Structure formats: structure tokens, C-alpha cells
Amino acid sequence: MRRISIFGATGSVGANGVDLIRRGGGVDDYQVVALTGGRNIERLAQMARDLRAEVAVTAHPELLEDLRAALAGSDVRAAAGEAALTEAAAMPADWVLSAIVGSAGLAPGLTALAQGGVLALANKESLVCAGGLLRRTGQVSGATILPVDSEHSALFQALGGESLDSVKDVTITASGGAFRDWPLERLAAATVAQASTHPNWAMGQRITIDSASMFNKAMEVIEAKEFFGLAPEQINVLVHPESIIHAIVNHIDGGSIAHLGAPDMRHAIGYALHWPERRALPVPPLDLARAGSLTFRAPDEIRWPALRLAREVMAAGGAAGAVFNAAKEQALDDFIAGRIRFTDMSPRVEATLDSLSAQAGFGDDPDTLQTVLHWDALARQEAAA
Ligand code: NAD
Ligand code: MG
């Protein structure tokens, strides 16, 4: 039986993963090792009971007793805190879904990678912060990293194992998020509630706001560079409001291969779960007649300055990715808390990059978790409102 763990099981991606495990045969086909979550103790306990997990971990130590109580009478062990997350990641598993949001996903992801097996990576932040470190850790242990982000899963599938030598460049699409068609002058007044609605995808709040600001796509450009080893200038972004084409591989011979599908994360999660096989998944069929037309436009870097910042981060190298991600996380915290406006996020991230670069540069590509966390803390401090 395959041993699997899900980090961030109570979130949007994680819960879809749990749902696929349930439908895919549940406890008869999978031995669930660890499920982790945050403050939603009831949901975590229910998932852990249903899937008969060995351990359930909340990120919050003060909630350990609540989790114990919610698991009373079951065989599931309760644990809490950062160290417990890392311990859970060290438990042998064949397949681990990394679906914690933010750089908090890096430590458990690295620990899981060091055990070998498959790491299904939704946590794009870890590739942005520490792409080289992840790759090297996986190479040493012999682990496989599979993309769960829909655009990267699409690229992976469109490439179909072909060599990058025949790839001219690639395109990842962006819906444009909540404010795609807003007049620019209205953006400064955009509220958290308005930024938290997505036209096509149902996702966690943070990535939904990042879609409105395009920080999500900016991160995904860096993610594509790190995951596939592409050059920055080989990665294009195309605004595609219908979210049907997720990515396109453009070959040197003029042929392009696109990946299409309904905007439903269960496809990318399920693809990674069953890889290298394909199995039927509960995803709506593609209905192009109903879609009628697919439209495209070039991204507007005045509306979405995050895309320009991603190019600058890739050019800078070293710890710039870790700084970019942490400054973005801090700016997002401050926007959600009402401390800054929607349009203040990009300037704040840019100022943090400029200031830390001017102080001492971004150094070498970080090669330990401690180095990444050091830059992460510096950047959050610098970016805080
Ligand atoms: P979410 O907010 O819905 O869920 C996040 C999960 O992480 C929850 O289980 C939460 O308890 C846990 N978590 C949050 N902070 C934590 C911390 N400090 N320590 C430990 N656990 C913590 O997020 P989501 O939308 O499911 O996104 C998860 C990841 O997947 C993100 O990296 C996101 O960019 C990526 N992703 C999401 C989607 C999507 O459709 N939601 C698509 C592509 C990629
Ligand atoms: Mg995506």
C-alpha cells in the first residue's frame, strides 16, 4: 500500500487531495501517515479519523489539547508545532503533498524530500525561496518532485518527457484575477473582500489576492525557471480570462503544444497522485463549444508591476527569491490587516528588494534552510508597515 502524507491538508489544495484519496479507494488503497493543518482542528481531526492517519499535526502548539480531545477514542496520534511538522515530514512515505501556504512549507518540504519518494509540490513559495536547495536535496535522496501548480503541471504534461533542447520557450497563462478589467485609478481603493474573489478558480484567500495583484503569476514565472531549469527569457505570461489553456510549450520547429482543461485543481493534484499513470478524476469535462471563444491579451506591467519584479529577482539571483517571497508575504499580511492599500504591496516589495540589495547584495544561492530563513526574516522586517 502506498504511504502518503498531506501537509496543509485542511487548506484548499490539501482538502482536494484528501477528497481524491477518499474517492480513490481511501484506507483500502492508501496508508495515510501524516495530515497537518492550522487552526481548523475539527476539520483536521475529522480528516485524520476518516483516513485513519498515523498522526495529525496542528502548526499551533497551543491547540494541542484541543486536537487531542478531537481525536479521543481514535488511533490517531496528535502533535503540534513546527518541530512536530518536521518530525511528521521525516516519517517514511511514498508520496507527500506539500500544500502549506507560504515559506512555512519549506522546512517540512525539504525534510520530506530528503527521505526520497515523490514530493507533489503545491507550495510554490519553497521553489521561489530555495529552488536550488530543493533540487539538490532531491538529487541526493533520489526523490522526485512533481508540480501541482496547474500551469506547471500543464507544462510538465505538455513536455511529455521531451528534452528541453527542442523547446524555444514556454507560456503560462493568467486569468487576470479580480481586477483585470478595473480602471487603474480604482485599484488603490480595492478592498480585501474584492481582492479575495476569483473569476475562475476556487482557492485559498492568500493566493486569490496574489492572483489579483499578479504576485501569484510572478511567483509562478520563478517557479517555472526553478522547476524546469528554463532561462528567464524563455518564460512568457499571457492573460487568458477563460482559464482553459493553462500552459503552452513552444518548440524550435514552430510547433506548440498546449494543455487544456476546466479550471479545477483536482486535475493537477490527481495527475501528481497517480503519475506516471492516468486515472479517471472527478473533473468537469472540457466543453469548448460552451466556452465559445478563448481570448488572450498581453499582460500590462503598469497594472501588474509584480511581473517586472519577478524578472528583476531572476536577474539578481542569490537570495533575491527568498527576499521577494517574504516581502510579498509581509505586504499581503499588511494589506489583509488593513495597514496598507492594495496598490502599496508592489512598491513595498520593490523597496525591500532595493534596500536589501543596496545593503549587501543577495549573496550566493542559499544552500541551507537556515540561510533561507535568515533572509526571510530580514525581508519581513524591512517590508513591515
Ligand atoms: P489555504 O490557505 O487554503 O491552506 C493552507 C494550508 O496551510 C492550511 O492547511 C493551513 O492550516 C496551513 N498553514 C497555513 N499557515 C501555516 C503555517 N505557518 N504552518 C503550517 N501550516 C500552515 O492555501 P491553498 O490555497 O490551499 O494553497 C496552498 C499552497 O498551494 C500555496 O503555496 C499556494 O500557492 C499553492 N497553490 C494553491 C492553489 C489553489 O488552487 N488553492 C493552486 C496552485 C498552487
Ligand atoms: Mg497556478
Side-chain angles (χ1 to χ4, degrees):
M1 262 209 284
R2 278 172 87 193
R3 289 171 58 88
I4 67 156
S5 289
I6 301 183
F7 287 78
T10 54
S12 167
V13 169
N16 275 317
V18 167
D19 183 47
L20 289 173
I21 302 286
R22 271 205 197 99
R23 292 167 185 257
V27 295
D28 297 331
D29 285 351
Y30 298 97
Q31 191 178 339
V32 176
V33 180
L35 297 179
T36 87
R39 299 197 176 279
N40 197 338
I41 297 299
E42 285 310 316
R43 190 173 204 200
L44 176 61
Q46 193 58 53
M47 287 171 162
R49 280 174 184 275
D50 288 352
L51 293 183
R52 295 191 213 143
E54 288 172 33
V55 59
V57 189
T58 164
H60 306 285
E62 71 277 14
L63 297 178
L64 179 59
E65 282 316 313
D66 292 354
L67 182 58
R68 275 203 183 116
L71 290 169
S74 75
D75 292 331
V76 186
R77 182 163 60 81
E82 262 178 59
L85 280 172
T86 306
E87 277 166 35
M91 292 166 75
D94 304 303
W95 190 87
V96 174
L97 177 58
S98 168
I100 287 175
V101 65
S103 58
L106 177 59
L110 274 173
T111 304
L113 260 185
Q115 314 304 310
V118 172
L119 184 72
L121 190 65
N123 180 263
K124 66 191 83 185
E125 294 88 345
S126 44
L127 272 176
V128 174
C129 297
L133 177 58
L134 257 98
R135 272 197 312 278
R136 289 188 289 276
T137 307
Q139 276 157 9
V140 169
S141 69
T144 302
I145 310 179
L146 293 177
V148 170
D149 212 344
S150 55
E151 298 76 3
H152 304 73
S153 174
L155 284 177
F156 186 84
Q157 296 180 53
L159 272 167
E162 256 188 276
S163 147
L164 280 185
D165 296 345
S166 71
V167 173
K168 179 175 151 282
D169 54 20
V170 304
T171 301
I172 57 175
T173 63
S175 70
F179 305 140
R180 182 184 61 222
D181 299 315
W182 276 37
L184 285 179
E185 59 277 12
R186 269 186 70 197
L187 287 181
T191 65
V192 173
Q194 287 166 332
S196 304
T197 56
H198 197 285
N200 304 339
W201 295 90
M203 308 186 288
Q205 185 190 32
R206 298 181 73 85
I207 184 174
T208 302
I209 300 176
D210 284 349
S211 297
S213 63
M214 275 293 174
F215 268 113
N216 181 49
K217 210 52 55 179
M219 307 262 294
E220 289 183 358
V221 169
I222 303 173
E223 182 186 10
K225 168 184 172 285
E226 297 296 338
F227 190 91
F228 295 101
L230 291 159
E233 58 278 12
Q234 283 180 298
I235 308 159
N236 308 299
V237 173
L238 182 65
V239 176
H240 169 40
E242 294 83 11
S243 298
I244 299 265
I245 295 182
H246 305 305
I248 309 169
V249 176
N250 301 304
H251 288 281
I252 49 175
D253 60 3
S256 294
I257 301 183
H259 179 276
L260 291 76
D264 188 323
M265 281 306 292
R266 287 175 300 183
H267 168 71
I269 302 165
Y271 178 81
L273 177 63
H274 300 303
W275 176 89
E277 291 169 24
R278 284 189 189 266
R279 297 221 188 135
L281 293 170
V283 171
L286 183 61
D287 188 345
L288 289 177
R290 185 149 169 242
S293 57
L294 302 183
T295 61
F296 307 94
R297 46 180 120 153
D300 167 356
E301 293 199 359
I302 296 181
R303 180 178 298 272
W304 295 304
L307 294 174
R308 172 176 54 80
L309 296 182
R311 305 272 166 209
E312 291 172 13
V313 164
M314 291 187 292
V323 169
F324 178 63
N325 178 68
K328 189 281 291 178
E329 289 195 35
Q330 182 64 49
L332 180 57
D333 285 345
D334 289 337
F335 171 61
I336 292 173
R339 289 188 286 268
I340 63 174
R341 293 174 304 176
F342 181 78
T343 44
D344 294 331
M345 288 192 285
S346 287
R348 211 165 269 269
V349 172
E350 183 162 18
T352 304
L353 285 163
D354 289 347
S355 155
L356 292 184
S357 157
Q359 283 171 35
F362 293 119
D364 295 328
D365 186 23
D367 58 0
T368 65
L369 175 63
Q370 286 65 33
T371 314
V372 179
L373 297 180
H374 164 76
W375 283 103
D376 183 287
L378 264 184
R380 282 175 202 260
Q381 204 176 9
E382 186 73 31

